[in-house]
Amino acid sequence: MRKDVRILLVGEPKVGKTSLIMSLVSEEFPQVVPYRAEEITIPADVTPERVPTHIVDYSEAEQTDEQLSSEISKANVICIVYAVNNKTSIEKVTSHWIPLINDNTDKDSRVPVILVGNKSDLVEHSSMETILPVMNQYTEIETCVECSAKNLKNISELFYYAQKAVLHPTGPLYCPEEKRMKPACIKALTRIFKVSDLDNDGILNDNELNFFQRTCFNAPLASQALEDVKNVVRKNVIDGVCDNGLTLKGFLFLHTLFIQRGRHETTWTVLRRFGCDDDLELHQDYLFPLTLKIPPDCTTELNHNAYLFLQSVFDKHDKDHDCALSPEELKDLFDVFPYMPWGPDVNNTVCTNDEGWITYQGYLSQWTLTTYLDVQRCLEYLGYLGYSIISQQESQAAAITVTRDKKIDLQKKQTQRSVFRCNIFGDSGSGKSGFLQAFLGRNLMRQNIVSEEHMSYYAISTAYVYGQEKYLLLHEVFPDFDVLSDADQACDIVCLVYDASNPHSFEYCARVFKQYFMDTKTPCMMIAAKSDLQETKQLYALTPLEFCRKHKMPPPQAFTCNTADAPCKDIYTKLTTMAMHPHARLRCMCTCNRCTFCHLQNFINSELVQTVKAKLYTAILSRSLLFQRPSNSSVSQSSFTLFFLLFFFTCHFHFAPETFSHFVNHVDSVFLFCLSLSENPVFAFTLFCF
């Protein structure tokens, strides 16, 4: 909606233009009328629409043609004033003033025109019979008002209609010649209908209609009023009401009826509430709220409410309830968009089912990826779906969480983030793309059927770290060693992939690591890809294992996607764990780093577990109840470790993360309380765990 309205009054001399303005301001007919009134500004709190209004007068005696043309180009609405008792002034409306206005305005954005018949107090008849053919001939004419500056008749109404013609114009909504709404208006209202159809059954039921009414007009419809609306639709439109609900056909008919009866403001209120501007396009302020600020080293994620909203959108379009969106269902979901936002590459970025359809997990993953990489695009997409309206939030920015600085996470040795980025480096042909696609559960056979033009340099899915679901975002970096942007280096973990069967492949990984990541705190992991092929000695000064030991990295991880079933995902869990706990420096006692022993050993040696273990062990020794042997006995230590693991896993899977963190800080006090209840340490430990 415009922030102000500029009204220009034009017409032949002596028709009463200046008298109309002065009568409005002083609320009485002026005894002395100047040639031209000065520009008047009416404050917003005085006008019905709460918008400041500027009223500009024109005088042929005091202004040139150039000045008139300038005023016409600046006006939002033009009132052509004629005297109802002066036939010549009426004829001049079509012979002079309308052509002059059209010559000085853009053809694609005509300025609305109001015809004003002044001096109605001097005649007993109306001029409407003469004016109606003129109104039918020129579509830019909004309405005609007969008034009297002397008797103050319809003076306020005149300027109200002029203001209304600007704030609630008919032109973008309705074509009077064809007596139907314009395509742009139908398109905008159709989107509003689909957003308001919360169950996607093609009908607005009573609950949805009341939600729509509260959203637009801050008040629900009474039951009888709701039935009256439906009855009006039933009488005029076939299939306008179905199953006691309003169809799209009936919804469009109602707004056509509002417009035809001069209630344009009703339709405009609905359009603007759902984000439309004066051209019936979604307003930029609606799509891109300015309240979101993202400091450096922070990332953007969707919060819980946003995921719930997206889940409801998925559920209402998954008509066959197979937890996947077919091409038709996906097209229906994005029907409220002006374009298709997801291309064929998305199917190679997220998880799909056997038919290649995006699954529920893949759907949420793609939204997570968009939020992480381009939060403004995510805000735009949420705006098309009507997030702020359906979720009753001020804007789409309420769906976004800005994470804290990564430096703080490193200092506190814990993170609240849910999305972790892993940049994949490797020479051409090393197997990077295969590594990405394997994360989505695709073996080499499934990868070979993917068109190269639809390949993606990203892959995102979920991984579980100690029972917590996290998103791992893999990004394949183009193998240009000499040019690595800041974005290529900014990640949570680096994955260096080399072809174990190519003797020249490892050198690229070693050079990238030494030049860009050796002196950073970013954890790195070597991947020996194509491990199903014959391993070849790498032509480098150090073997990959020696290189990793020298630089305190985990040993190279053997990997292949040439499997009969979906490739193993253990390595991706390892990557997510390292990204989530970069300070932990997880170690492994053997070189495989894939077996159960290795996973448990890494878990036991992690800093969090060691801290809890030390607190609990100190609490037990302080009571001297658990072990009768000396505290440095191997039997005591092993028995304690067994009991401790039972305790830790029980607590971890029964507490929420924030509760568990608080519990860890007070574990010694809690366990001492349990010991005080029983002299039997085993019974106390069991009581403590349960």
Side-chain angles (χ1 to χ4, degrees):
M1 182 181 288
R2 292 185 178 273
K3 296 182 179 180
D4 61 359
V5 174
R6 188 174 182 85
I7 304 173
L8 173 64
L9 274 68
V10 298
E12 295 298 300
K14 307 293 184 179
V15 293
K17 302 184 295 296
T18 306
S19 298
L20 287 170
I21 297 174
M22 298 185 70
S23 294
L24 173 72
V25 175
S26 62
E27 297 185 352
E28 63 179 5
F29 184 71
Q31 297 300 321
V32 179
V33 181
Y35 283 110
R36 176 173 172 266
E38 296 295 329
E39 180 178 327
I40 295 171
T41 299
I42 302 176
D45 55 355
V46 178
T47 62
E49 297 292 339
R50 302 293 177 181
V51 175
T53 302
H54 310 281
I55 302 176
V56 182
D57 192 10
Y58 164 71
S59 172
E60 184 178 351
E62 293 190 356
Q63 291 176 287
T64 64
D65 292 342
E66 290 76 13
Q67 289 175 318
L68 174 60
S69 298
S70 175
E71 289 295 347
I72 290 174
S73 64
K74 292 189 293 185
N76 302 130
V77 58
I78 299 175
C79 297
I80 302 177
V81 184
Y82 64 90
V84 295
N85 64 339
N86 186 335
K87 186 177 181 181
T88 303
S89 67
I90 298 176
E91 293 173 349
K92 283 281 190 175
V93 170
T94 56
S95 64
H96 175 70
W97 289 108
I98 292 180
L100 177 65
I101 292 170
N102 289 339
D103 290 341
N104 287 276
T105 55
D106 188 1
K107 293 181 180 180
D108 296 330
S109 56
R110 292 291 191 197
V111 176
V113 173
I114 305 290
L115 298 184
V116 181
N118 193 22
K119 302 185 180 183
S120 64
D121 59 292
L122 300 180
V123 296
E124 295 181 357
H125 63 275
S126 173
S127 64
M128 294 306 294
E129 290 185 6
T130 307
I131 293 299
L132 280 175
V134 177
M135 293 179 64
N136 293 330
Q137 181 180 356
Y138 296 96
T139 58
E140 57 265 40
I141 298 177
E142 290 284 327
T143 188
C144 178
V145 181
E146 290 191 344
C147 58
S148 171
K150 185 174 183 178
N151 295 342
L152 305 182
K153 177 185 176 183
N154 289 340
I155 302 296
S156 297
E157 287 78 0
L158 157 64
F159 292 100
Y160 167 72
Y161 284 123
Q163 189 183 60
K164 182 179 175 183
V166 177
L167 301 178
H168 310 300
T170 308
L173 306 181
Y174 190 75
C175 180
E177 293 90 349
E178 300 178 9
K179 296 183 179 180
R180 63 181 181 85
M181 284 193 296
K182 291 185 175 180
C185 183
I186 294 174
K187 181 180 177 182
L189 289 173
T190 300
R191 171 188 166 268
I192 292 171
F193 179 89
K194 291 187 175 183
V195 169
S196 303
D197 184 12
L198 301 179
D199 54 8
N200 198 35
D201 62 351
I203 298 170
L204 295 184
N205 57 41
D206 287 358
N207 290 333
E208 291 167 341
L209 282 171
N210 271 313
F211 179 80
F212 170 82
Q213 185 75 10
R214 286 194 302 270
T215 298
C216 297
F217 306 103
N218 299 318
L221 279 174
S223 299
Q224 187 57 48
L226 199 57
E227 286 303 315
D228 291 343
V229 169
K230 294 177 188 176
N231 288 333
V232 170
V233 176
R234 286 190 186 99
K235 292 177 181 178
N236 292 274
V237 182
I238 300 174
D239 299 330
V241 176
C242 181
D243 294 334
N244 202 34
L246 200 63
T247 65
L248 174 60
K249 196 173 181 180
F251 183 75
L252 295 176
F253 165 77
L254 278 179
H255 284 282
T256 303
L257 194 62
F258 291 146
I259 297 168
Q260 289 174 343
R261 293 183 177 180
R263 294 175 55 188
H264 315 91
E265 65 274 11
T266 301
T267 300
W268 275 113
T269 300
V270 171
L271 291 167
R272 288 180 173 133
R273 179 64 184 90
F274 279 78
C276 292
D277 60 15
D278 292 343
D279 297 322
L280 302 184
E281 300 290 341
L282 290 182
H283 202 282
Q284 293 298 300
D285 292 341
Y286 169 79
L287 291 176
F288 306 104
L290 301 177
T291 56
L292 196 62
K293 295 182 180 180
I294 307 168
D297 292 328
C298 297
T299 58
T300 47
E301 300 177 2
L302 293 168
N303 59 32
H304 179 66
N305 290 333
Y307 279 117
L308 289 179
F309 170 78
L310 293 172
Q311 178 183 347
S312 68
V313 172
F314 182 94
D315 290 341
K316 84 174 190 177
H317 289 92
D318 182 21
K319 296 181 179 179
D320 53 6
H321 305 292
D322 62 347
C323 291
L325 294 175
S326 67
E328 293 76 18
E329 291 170 339
L330 198 63
K331 182 180 178 181
D332 184 45
L333 190 153
F334 290 126
D335 196 38
V336 296
F337 284 57
Y339 56 89
M340 184 64 179
W342 292 359
D345 60 312
V346 173
N347 294 63
N348 300 310
T349 305
V350 299
C351 294
T352 58
N353 62 11
D354 294 336
E355 295 176 306
W357 300 350
I358 297 175
T359 63
Y360 172 70
Q361 181 189 15
Y363 165 82
L364 293 182
S365 297
Q366 179 62 25
W367 278 101
T368 303
L369 175 68
T370 304
T371 307
Y372 187 94
L373 296 179
D374 190 351
V375 68
Q376 293 299 322
R377 183 62 58 86
C378 178
L379 293 174
E380 178 189 0
Y381 290 173
L382 289 173
Y384 292 135
L385 292 175
Y387 172 80
S388 60
I389 297 164
I390 302 303
S391 300
Q392 301 181 34
Q393 301 288 342
E394 185 176 350
S395 72
Q396 294 88 267
I400 307 299
T401 295
V402 179
T403 63
R404 69 184 180 188
D405 195 318
K406 293 181 182 179
K407 297 184 184 68
I408 299 177
D409 285 351
L410 287 172
Q411 291 172 359
K412 293 183 175 294
K413 297 184 178 181
Q414 61 179 0
T415 183
Q416 298 173 339
R417 291 186 295 140
S418 298
V419 185
F420 299 92
R421 177 168 179 160
C422 174
N423 282 356
I424 313 293
F425 294 87
D427 205 358
S428 299
S430 60
K432 301 186 299 297
S433 299
F435 187 75
L436 263 69
Q437 292 299 306
F439 184 37
L440 305 177
R442 296 166 187 163
N443 57 20
L444 188 61
M445 184 179 298
R446 287 188 62 186
Q447 294 179 28
N448 287 334
I449 64 175
V450 177
S451 171
E452 185 174 349
E453 62 179 335
H454 295 158
M455 287 297 293
S456 173
Y457 290 103
Y458 290 94
I460 183 170
S461 189
T462 55
Y464 286 86
V465 178
Y466 305 144
Q468 299 181 35
E469 185 182 49
K470 302 294 181 181
Y471 283 95
L472 179 63
L473 164 60
L474 303 181
H475 172 47
E476 179 183 346
V477 179
F478 190 77
D480 190 345
F481 179 79
D482 297 326
V483 182
L484 283 186
S485 65
D486 293 339
D488 293 335
Q489 301 176 53
C491 56
D492 301 299
I493 184 170
V494 172
C495 193
L496 302 164
V497 180
Y498 69 94
D499 181 356
S501 64
N502 182 351
H504 303 284
S505 185
F506 177 75
E507 181 183 2
Y508 177 89
C509 295
R511 290 170 59 200
V512 169
F513 174 81
K514 292 174 71 174
Q515 180 165 341
Y516 294 103
F517 301 106
M518 184 169 67
D519 297 325
T520 68
K521 294 183 179 180
T522 305
C524 300
M525 178 183 286
M526 286 284 183
I527 305 294
K530 305 182 183 180
S531 60
D532 57 304
L533 303 178
Q534 179 66 39
E535 185 175 3
T536 304
K537 182 180 179 181
Q538 297 296 315
L539 298 180
Y540 189 73
L542 300 174
T543 66
L545 180 58
E546 291 170 344
F547 184 89
C548 291
R549 286 176 177 172
K550 178 180 178 180
H551 296 287
K552 298 181 180 179
M553 295 166 56
Q557 309 292 298
F559 175 80
T560 180
C561 57
N562 189 11
T563 57
D565 299 322
C568 180
K569 289 192 175 184
D570 291 347
I571 194 168
Y572 303 103
T573 303
K574 178 79 171 181
L575 287 170
T576 312
T577 305
M578 292 177 65
M580 189 175 175
H581 304 290
H583 57 277
R585 295 287 183 180
L586 301 179
R587 296 298 175 203
C588 183
M589 293 187 66
C590 74
T591 58
C592 79
N593 212 27
R594 300 192 306 273
C595 62
T596 304
F597 174 79
C598 291
H599 287 302
L600 286 175
Q601 191 64 36
N602 284 336
F603 174 73
I604 293 172
N605 291 334
S606 66
E607 186 173 344
L608 175 64
V609 177
Q610 291 297 326
T611 300
V612 177
K613 181 179 177 182
K615 284 188 175 184
L616 193 58
Y617 193 61
T618 303
I620 293 172
L621 289 180
S622 66
R623 292 295 300 268
S624 300
L625 290 176
L626 184 57
F627 307 118
Q628 300 302 322
R629 303 182 183 186
S631 61
N632 60 355
S633 164
S634 61
V635 177
S636 300
Q637 293 284 359
S638 61
S639 301
F640 171 75
T641 300
L642 180 63
F643 284 128
F644 168 73
L645 287 176
L646 172 64
F647 143 75
F648 192 88
F649 280 113
T650 302
C651 295
H652 183 73
F653 287 107
H654 282 77
F655 289 130
E658 61 275 8
T659 309
F660 179 67
S661 177
H662 178 76
F663 185 70
V664 165
N665 294 330
H666 302 87
V667 62
D668 46 359
S669 302
V670 177
F671 188 69
L672 283 174
F673 172 75
C674 293
L675 285 174
S676 67
L677 299 179
S678 173
E679 294 297 322
N680 187 333
V682 176
F683 177 79
F685 216 121
T686 305
L687 176 65
F688 179 74
C689 292
F690 284 97

